[in-house]
Amino acid sequence: MKILVINGPNLQLLGRREPEIYGKLTLEDLEDQLKQVATALSVELEFFQSNHEGDIVDLIGNAPQNGFSGIIINPAAYTHTSVAILDALKGAGLPAVEVHLSNVKSREDFRHHSFTAAACVGVIAGLGFDGYEWALRSLVKILNKND
Ligand code: CA2
C-alpha cells in the first residue's frame, strides 16, 4: 500500500521560521517521524512539498495511475483558496485526510474555511506533527476496510 504525503506552500520553512506557531522541527524531521510509523504499519510513503498550486493539482490527478491508495495533504494556504485542489481531490477519488499543524479554528477568520476539506474523509488540526501520524493510522484503517 502506497500513500502520498503532500505539503503545500511555505512548509519547507518548518523549523526555520515562526517556531511559536509551527514548532522547531523541520520538514525532514516530520518525514523521518512518519517513515517510522509507516514501517510499523507496513505501508510505503512518498513525500512531496510544493509552493505551486498546479504542481499539486497534477500530482493529485496522477496519483491513482501512479499506484497510490490514499493521500495525506496539508494544503497550507491553498486550503483557504483552492477550488482547483478541491476538484483534483474529488477527481482522483482516493481517500484523503487533511492535516493542519496549527489549530486553524483558533486563528484568523480567513483560516476557518477550508475548500479542500469537502473532498477529504477527515480533517486533523492543531496537533502539530502528531496530526500526520493520526492521519496515516486512520487512512490505513480505512484502506484495509475497503480491501
Ligand atoms: O497549520 C497549518 O498546517 C497550515 O496549513 C499552515 C499554513 C497556513 O496558511 C494554514 O492556514 C494552516 C502556512 C504554512 C506556512 O508554513 C510555515 C512554516 C514555518 C514558517 C513559516 C511558514
Side-chain angles (χ1 to χ4, degrees), residues 3 24 26 33 37 39 44 82 85 101 106 119 141 146:
I3 292 170
K24 285 187 196 153
T26 65
Q33 185 178 316
V37 180
T39 304
E44 217 182 297
S82 184
I85 294 177
L101 292 159
S106 70
K141 265 195 188 174
N146 291 345

Side-chain angles (χ1 to χ4, degrees), residues 7-19 21-23 74-80 99-104 107-108 110-112 124-126 132:
N7 280 297
N10 296 311
L11 286 165
Q12 82 282 4
L13 296 174
L14 274 182
R16 305 183 216 287
R17 310 261 172 81
E18 301 190 70
I21 302 177
Y22 299 114
N74 182 346
Y78 290 140
T79 307
H80 318 298
V99 178
H100 297 287
L101 292 159
S102 63
N103 179 0
V104 282
R107 300 183 65 191
E108 304 95 321
F110 68 84
R111 296 188 203 275
H112 294 186
I124 300 173
Y132 288 77

Side-chain angles (χ1 to χ4, degrees), residues 58-76:
D58 287 344
L59 188 78
I60 294 169
N62 293 327
Q65 68 259 34
N66 285 336
F68 290 101
S69 304
I71 297 173
I72 295 170
I73 184 166
N74 182 346

